[in-house]
Amino acid sequence: MTEFKFTRQNRAPRTVGVLICVYAALLALVILFDAAWWLMALLALPTIPAIWDIAQNTSAGLVLDQNKLRWFTGTREAEIDRSDIDYVRFDTRWDFSVRVSLILRSGKRIRLPDESSPHHRDFEQVLQQAGFRIERHHFVTF
């Protein structure tokens, strides 16, 4: 098997576009409808992590090679030997997002960070080609 690499930059045009739209909408509410500035500031608070990621230009991703599976996000990183992985579990949530978990031979579960994982269909194919057993569970709540 050849090495598989996936990397995602947080300073993506889509992220910047969404932030511009959010701030334009909040500014329009203040100017056109005389909305309370403090209320618009409260609505802007959830965007602070995205602004921080864009300013820091953080990245996330994973690397699968012959011996290890490594993943990273921001300043955090981890790795595990391929031989320690029993199977990979894909859980589809009610919001249609897919969470990826590594189930180890010891029974321990390690959830891969969402931002480190490629699209679930592509990732599933790569894992199957690498010889991993895959389990899919649809509409899991927890």
Side-chain angles (χ1 to χ4, degrees), residues 18-34:
V18 167
L19 284 174
I20 288 171
C21 290
V22 166
Y23 284 114
L26 293 176
L27 188 60
L29 288 172
V30 169
I31 293 171
L32 299 174
F33 299 106
D34 201 27

Side-chain angles (χ1 to χ4, degrees), residues 95-108:
D95 63 354
F96 296 106
S97 64
V98 177
R99 307 285 192 250
V100 181
S101 300
L102 306 174
I103 311 300
L104 306 182
R105 297 194 189 286
S106 65
K108 182 179 175 184

Side-chain angles (χ1 to χ4, degrees), residues 19-76:
L19 284 174
I20 288 171
C21 290
V22 166
Y23 284 114
L26 293 176
L27 188 60
L29 288 172
V30 169
I31 293 171
L32 299 174
F33 299 106
D34 201 27
W37 65 268
W38 60 269
L39 184 59
M40 297 303 106
L42 281 175
L43 291 174
L45 281 177
T47 65
I48 290 175
I51 291 173
W52 180 257
D53 283 344
I54 289 171
Q56 296 294 315
N57 195 21
T58 58
S59 62
L62 61 80
V63 177
L64 177 64
D65 62 22
Q66 295 289 349
N67 302 317
K68 295 193 180 288
L69 174 63
R70 299 178 186 90
W71 61 93
F72 60 93
T73 175
T75 58
R76 299 175 299 154

Side-chain angles (χ1 to χ4, degrees), residues 64-119:
L64 177 64
D65 62 22
Q66 295 289 349
N67 302 317
K68 295 193 180 288
L69 174 63
R70 299 178 186 90
W71 61 93
F72 60 93
T73 175
T75 58
R76 299 175 299 154
E77 58 183 65
E79 69 177 36
I80 190 160
D81 289 332
R82 285 180 54 169
S83 60
D84 292 339
I85 301 171
D86 187 21
Y87 64 95
V88 182
R89 180 178 167 139
F90 288 79
D91 294 316
T92 304
R93 300 293 187 103
W94 286 103
D95 63 354
F96 296 106
S97 64
V98 177
R99 307 285 192 250
V100 181
S101 300
L102 306 174
I103 311 300
L104 306 182
R105 297 194 189 286
S106 65
K108 182 179 175 184
R109 174 189 292 204
I110 298 174
R111 176 149 303 157
L112 293 179
D114 294 335
E115 61 272 14
S116 296
S117 302
H119 190 269

